[in-house]
Structures are given as C-alpha cells and as structure tokens.
Amino acid sequence: SIQPVLLIHFVCGMTCAVGKLNQEDFYSSNFNSNLKDSLPELCYELLAYLEVNNQDIEDDYKTTSDCIKSLENCCKLHRDWIPIEVVEKVMMGLLDFSLSESSLASEEHIIQISKIISSVYLTYDQEDLMNQVIARTLTALVADAEGNSPLLVLSVIAEECMELSSEIVLKLTKRAIESYDEEMGPSNKIFCSILSKVNLRIMPHLYEYKSEGIPSSVSRIIHNFSVLLEQILKSPEMDHSILLHVTQSISYTIALCGEEMQKNYSRESIAFLLQEDLGLLKLLHIDDREFHPDLRYLLAGAILNPLNSVGDIESIEDVLHCILEGLMASENREIAEELSFSLSGIINKLDKNQMDQIVIPLVREVLLSHLKSCEDHRAIQVGFNALAWITRSLAMRKYNKLDGLLDEMFDILCCPDYKWDTAELISLGGAFAVVVSTEFDKITDTWKWKAKLLWRQKLFTTLTTKVLAKFKQSHEASVMGLHQILSHLMESVHFSVLKPHTKEIVVHLVDSISLFLKHDLLAKDALMANLELLKLALADENMKRIIQDHVEDVVEGLTKACGIRTGSAEAIKKSALECIALLKNLPHYIIYPHFHVVRRQLQTCLDDSRRVVRHQAGRTLRVWTEFVAT
C-alpha cells in the first residue's frame, strides 16, 4: 500500500528535525517518552521495509534512501534512548541489505550504508560489531561472482576508518590468495576484483594518510602481494591490468614503510635481482626452491621505483643493466611494460652525472644496439616502448642530451628497412604518447618522479618540430605513424599551445581524418582525438582561415566519417556530425557549394540505428539548412 511509503518519508523528516533540536531539553521532556519507547520497534519496521519492492522505480529509490537515512538518524539519538543491541541489529540489517541482490541496493545506497556503519563504529567504539561486519562481508565474496557490493562496502569502510585500512587490505589479499585457481587464473572474477579494488581505492587512501604512522601489518601485506605476484606469473594467461594492480600495490606498501624498512627491502631486492642471495624471499616468507624467473625483476622494480632517492645505491649501474636485460629477454609484453616503467622511474631520480656516465651508454650500447640488430618485430616494439619510457623520465628533468634519443626513435619509426605494417606503425606512433601524455602524471607524481617546470611544453615544441620535419622527409608508409604521434602531441597540451603551429596543425587534422578512417579499428582513439580538436579549430579565428583553404577535404573527410559502419561508429559519427554543424562558422560562399553533398549524408544519418546519431543528425541538419538558406 501507499501508506508505509508516506510514513517512511514522514519518519525521515521527523528524525532529521529531532536531531537539530536542543538535545538536553528534548530528551528530558516527558512528552517524548512514547517516541523513546517505540524507537526499537520503529527501527525493526524500517529494516523490514527495505525488503519491500513493489513501488515504481523512482519512488522506490527515494523511499529506500529515506528509510536508510531514518535508521541513521535513529542510531544517532541519545544512547539512553536506543540500546546498543538495537544499533547492532540495525547495522547488520543494513549490511545484509547492501550485500543482497535487491535492485534497490544501488552503489549510492551501499556507500551511504557503509559510511553509517563506519560512523557507528567510530562513535560507539564497537570493535566486535566491526569484526562481524568485515567477516560477513568477506563471506559474501564468492569466487564465481565479481563481488562488487562486498568490495565496495570494505573499501568505503577502509577509507572512513583509517585504523582499519591495513587490516582490511591484509584480509582481502589473503582472501584473494585463497580464491586463486590455477586453471582459471586471471579469469577468476573475485581474484581480479579484489586486486583492482585494493589498488585503486584502498592503497592510495593508505598512502595519502601515511603520516599517521606505519601500519603494524605492513610486512604481512607485502608478503601477500608477493605471493599474489608469484601466482599471476605462474598462471597460463596473464592480464596486464592485474599485474599492474599487484606491482603498484607492492610499491604503495613500500612507500608506507619507514626509512629503515625501505633500506632493508631495497638492499635485499637488489641482492635478489643480481642473484647474490635469496634473502628477500626469506624476508617475504616465500618458498625459495621454485619461483618464476621474472619475479626478481618485478619485485626489485616495484620496491625501488617508489623510493625518494636511488642515486646512492652502490650497484646502481648493475641494477639498471639487469632490469633492462630482463625486459628485453622477457617473452611477455605485459611484464616488459612493467619493467620499462620501473626502470625509467629509477633513472628519473639519478643525478646528471649518473645520467651521462651510466644511462646514456646503457641506452646506446645495449638497448639501441638490440633494436638495430634484432629481426623480431615484437621484440623491437617492446624495446621501443622501453626507450619511450626512458625518454620521458629524462624529458621530465629537461635533460640536455634528450634530442639524440628522440632522433633515434624517429629513425626506427621511419626507416624503410624495418618494413612495418600499418598496425605496427600505429603501435610505434602510440609509444610516443608515453613520452608526453598526461595519462601517467598521477602515478609518476605518487612515486615522486622529479620534474622541472614546463617540461612538457618544452618537449612538445621539440617533438612538434621534429615530427613536422619528418613529414617532409619520410616515405609514404611511415606517415601513418607520424600522424599518430602528432595526434598524441596535440592531445597532451592545452589548445593555446598549438597556436604557433596553426597551419601545420590544421593540415594534419584535415589529412589525418581520411587516413585514419581507412584503419578505424586500429586508429579510432587518434581519430576521435582529432575530431574533438577540429571542433576547437572551427571556433578559432586563425585556424578557420586555414580550414577555408582545405574545406573540400574537410567536408569529404567528415561525410565519410558520418557513414562508417565499424564497431566504434557511434562516437565517431556523433563527433563528425558536431564538426559539420560547426562549419557554419565559415563564410557562406565557401560552404554553399557543398550543401547538397552534406545534406544527403545527413538525411542518411537520420535513419541510423543509434538514437544518439539520429538526434545529432537532426540538430546538424537544422543548423546546416538554416545557415545555408540565409
């Protein structure tokens, strides 16, 4: 019936109002004795209602929110009014609702309930209650399900209750170890979900508040992550995202350690890396009789990367050489990518003399020699990615010998002797994104990579000059890779930085659209980025003048983009239609000759299977028709 719904909205308003009153006067009033006596029963009635699901979806959501809010308000009342036993039952009832399969247990409601449970724990100091909550939530993690609800509950509690964070990480990693199945490997949903949630939510939170002290369970957490890393390495299939979650979590945990602990782990990881002894495995309580050969590289990289200073390590040259050899020899591209990141993080924190005397000879004599002599294209791409990461780490320091490394990267991309196919050219061009992209800023900042002011702007100018020069010098096959580089460059800086290169940028945008459309599935990201940039160019006075000189090619490319039929068609079509609408910013006499060609394509889009495309086509057709008609 509708009556309970109205009552819940009333109770929510009433309990909110009670909380704002003068508590001493209110609680001492005889008038409110009836409310006090009925509170337990009221709480149980509210809990019972959470299981009801017979109203329309919109009202159900609001009623559920008010029901949860009413229970929270009741538990915040004076302790003499509501016994702790009732509060505990309410908390467990709310938890059960969060973990249920009810359609009303949305992410917002789960977060709301988790914060209520955390607040009650902090207010009443009920350790037993929280132990019950954590135990029941861990039990809800089933191996064949993704475990989104229980993991969300635990991650919110970890964020709200700092003292519980490390213990929750410890229990979750233990649960992940227990849930691992060698046959399923990374396809084990709960295994993957635990590792992603821990790395993306809980570990950054722990790191953010590390000033509050070193967690007592930090050594056991490192042990669990190391065991998980070994499990992943031994699995028949390796998911790069899962490997990344574990190695980053190890780095986060090392960052939580005190200075002496960091030195100890650093010393032991270097000895393990250089095969001097197996003390690190003993320190981590890992069986030293049989371990994956890549474990020593990954552990050393994950431990050394977050350290504030690595320049004083006596054997730093041997460490860099060993990690570089490990990534070049690895048969797994995901492992090589992780090692490239770790290696460049160490290099970034060296002083200039060490860069001159150790890094540059290492890159030229080992890495570049390998790239120029190797005949395996896959291995060359792995080494090229490592070179890109090293170049970024040096660019952030505005290293004065950077130009030579950039020239080597362009030579490998544009050299006809390699006979790169289109997919390989796009991959190599994409590797330049590592050098300049903002995508990795958060993690490099977390691991305290050193960066000089305006390093990206300086690098953009250098790279743009080089890539535009290569357009004039290179053979036709390598142009695809160069367009990919320029797309990443334009995406990585503010639009205003592009102004000095207005003509070249516009010509690139115009040429690249038709070229990328031929390889949509391979170049869809660069194509989308260029369409978004073209929208900005059509609103800029200087760039509009240059677009006018190439309007025929612009119209041809955009109408083709509106007619593609590949997997990423919806987003590309919508963006192309928005660009066509902005062509109204060009003079009428330039646009009018293309009116009928564009109109026919827009009318075709009105019959598109996707509603978002039909909607945008209608808006663009109105804008286009009105503009040309006037």
Side-chain angles (χ1 to χ4, degrees), residues 391-456:
T391 303
R392 180 192 178 99
S393 71
L394 297 175
M396 291 175 70
R397 298 282 299 276
K398 290 187 177 179
Y399 183 56
N400 59 354
K401 296 179 182 177
L402 187 68
D403 272 21
L405 296 185
L406 292 173
D407 289 337
E408 294 286 359
M409 291 180 71
F410 278 110
D411 289 345
I412 293 170
L413 173 72
C414 299
C415 179
D417 296 341
Y418 287 103
K419 298 179 181 178
W420 302 114
D421 61 30
T422 302
E424 290 170 335
L425 282 169
I426 290 174
S427 174
L428 292 172
F432 277 83
V434 167
V435 181
V436 73
S437 174
T438 57
E439 178 186 352
F440 309 102
D441 286 1
K442 184 176 180 180
I443 193 65
T444 55
D445 289 346
T446 300
W447 302 151
K448 300 293 189 296
W449 283 32
K450 297 179 180 179
K452 290 194 174 182
L453 192 64
L454 300 178
W455 71 269
R456 185 175 278 110

Side-chain angles (χ1 to χ4, degrees), residues 34 62 72 209 233 278 368 547 567:
N34 289 337
K62 177 69 168 67
E72 178 185 11
Y209 292 95
L233 289 173
L278 303 177
L368 287 174
I547 290 174

Side-chain angles (χ1 to χ4, degrees), residues 499 502-503 506 537 539-548:
K499 298 293 181 69
T502 296
K503 184 175 181 180
V506 171
D540 181 82
E541 289 300 323
N542 292 329
M543 290 192 175
K544 272 196 304 184
R545 294 193 194 98
I546 299 170
I547 290 174
Q548 291 176 27

Side-chain angles (χ1 to χ4, degrees), residues 39 88 130 298 322 501 529 549 627:
L39 264 180
E88 290 179 353
M130 188 55 78
L298 288 166
C322 193
H501 308 279
D549 298 334
F627 170 70

Side-chain angles (χ1 to χ4, degrees), residues 71-124:
L71 287 165
E72 178 185 11
N73 292 338
C74 290
C75 291
K76 284 183 177 178
L77 294 175
H78 199 281
R79 295 190 186 190
D80 292 340
W81 278 49
I82 182 162
I84 188 61
E85 295 80 12
V86 176
V87 174
E88 290 179 353
K89 287 183 180 179
V90 169
M91 294 303 106
M92 298 310 292
L94 287 172
L95 178 65
D96 289 340
F97 171 72
S98 296
L99 303 177
S100 70
E101 296 181 0
S102 170
S103 59
L104 295 175
S106 64
E107 181 175 333
E108 291 80 6
H109 287 147
I110 294 172
I111 292 173
Q112 183 184 4
I113 288 170
S114 303
K115 288 184 176 181
I116 294 170
I117 293 173
S118 302
S119 176
V120 167
Y121 164 74
L122 294 172
T123 302
Y124 289 88

Side-chain angles (χ1 to χ4, degrees), residues 460-525:
F460 173 83
T461 303
T462 303
L463 270 175
T464 303
T465 303
K466 290 182 181 294
V467 76
L468 292 175
K470 284 293 179 182
F471 270 116
K472 300 174 183 177
Q473 303 168 5
S474 301
H475 61 290
E476 187 176 346
S478 62
V479 168
M480 187 68 174
L482 294 173
H483 273 300
Q484 189 83 5
I485 296 169
L486 202 50
S487 295
H488 287 303
L489 278 172
M490 293 187 298
E491 198 176 10
S492 66
V493 295
H494 191 271
F495 184 73
S496 60
V497 181
L498 305 178
K499 298 293 181 69
H501 308 279
T502 296
K503 184 175 181 180
E504 294 87 349
I505 295 298
V506 171
V507 172
H508 158 70
L509 287 174
V510 173
D511 293 344
S512 67
I513 292 173
S514 296
L515 181 64
F516 286 155
L517 281 171
K518 296 177 183 177
H519 310 282
D520 168 44
L521 290 176
L522 295 171
K524 61 181 180 181
D525 292 339

Side-chain angles (χ1 to χ4, degrees), residues 552-614:
E552 187 172 341
D553 293 331
V554 173
V555 170
E556 181 185 354
L558 291 176
T559 50
K560 281 182 181 177
C562 290
I564 63 169
R565 300 181 182 278
T566 58
S568 54
E570 181 181 334
I572 291 173
K573 284 181 178 181
K574 182 177 181 295
S575 194
L577 286 166
E578 289 169 345
C579 287
I580 290 175
L582 289 170
L583 289 176
K584 67 180 177 59
N585 293 332
L586 301 181
H588 183 279
Y589 72 90
I590 289 176
I591 292 298
Y592 186 75
H594 307 284
F595 172 69
H596 296 294
V597 173
V598 173
R599 185 185 62 182
R600 282 194 294 271
Q601 183 58 60
L602 292 177
Q603 288 173 334
T604 302
C605 289
L606 290 174
D607 297 324
D608 196 273
S609 60
R610 300 283 186 171
R611 190 188 68 82
V612 67
V613 175
R614 295 195 302 271

